[in-house]
DNA sequence: GGGAATATTCCC
DNA sequence: GGGAATATTCCC
């Protein structure tokens, strides 16, 4: 074995690890959750997502800032759906 | 007159304008205030400064992050004093 | 969407 | 202290 220490998350950029954890957390599935195939995630409540969830993981509560950085990592991918009420 | 619009603060980097306003505010003089000559500022209570004041102006509450950026603007200057209790 | 400016963190 | 990586904002 070459690398023995740390989880595989150590090699994932912080932004992606945080986003994964944020979507993964079952306690917030009413706000954001994985899509049916697990290849997308769905923001069910944009207001709660940006004002409540984002600041738990990031230093801001702006949806657009989240999208800006998401685009730097997954540009061109169809990884998220939005839902507004 | 060349430039007619906006205050002179428009030309000041955001970090310096925020820092100026933060120090200038008389209501927080117990936490941070100008030094006697007005050429320095004094942090009287580091805990309150970083946990209460910084987040009002910046996206963090870390003293070291504040100092890091201060150094990019005023490197080599003797502009602040610290006081710990 | 993304380039660029600025901010924040991380680490030496 | 500050270089570099990353994050956040600003603006097109």
């Amino acid at each position: 074995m070459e690398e023995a220490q740390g989880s595989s998350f150590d090699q994932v950029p912080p932004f992606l690890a945080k986003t994964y954890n944020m979507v993964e957390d079952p306690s917030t599935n009413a706000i954001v959750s994985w899509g049916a195939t697990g290849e997308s995630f769905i923001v069910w409540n944009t207001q709660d997502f940006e004002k409540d969830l984002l600041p738990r993981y990031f230093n801001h509560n702006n949806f657009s800032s989240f999208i800006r950085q998401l685009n730097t990592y997954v540009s061109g991918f169809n990884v998220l759906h939005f839902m507004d009420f």
Side-chain angles (χ1 to χ4, degrees), chain A residues 28-33 42-46 48-49 52-53 56:
Chain A
T28 57
N29 276 354
I31 301 174
V32 61
S33 69
I42 302 173
V43 177
W44 300 98
N45 186 316
T46 307
D48 290 351
F49 179 77
D52 296 342
L53 257 191
R56 296 190 206 170

Side-chain angles (χ1 to χ4, degrees), chain A residues 4 7 10 13 23-24 27-28 40 45 47 51 57 65-67 78-79 81-83:
Chain A
S7 77
D10 290 350
V23 177
E24 182 76 0
S27 77
T28 57
S40 63
N45 186 316
Q47 288 291 336
K51 297 311 177 194
Y57 293 85
S65 292
F66 174 76
I67 297 303
N78 178 30
V79 292
H81 301 179
F82 307 120
M83 204 122 305

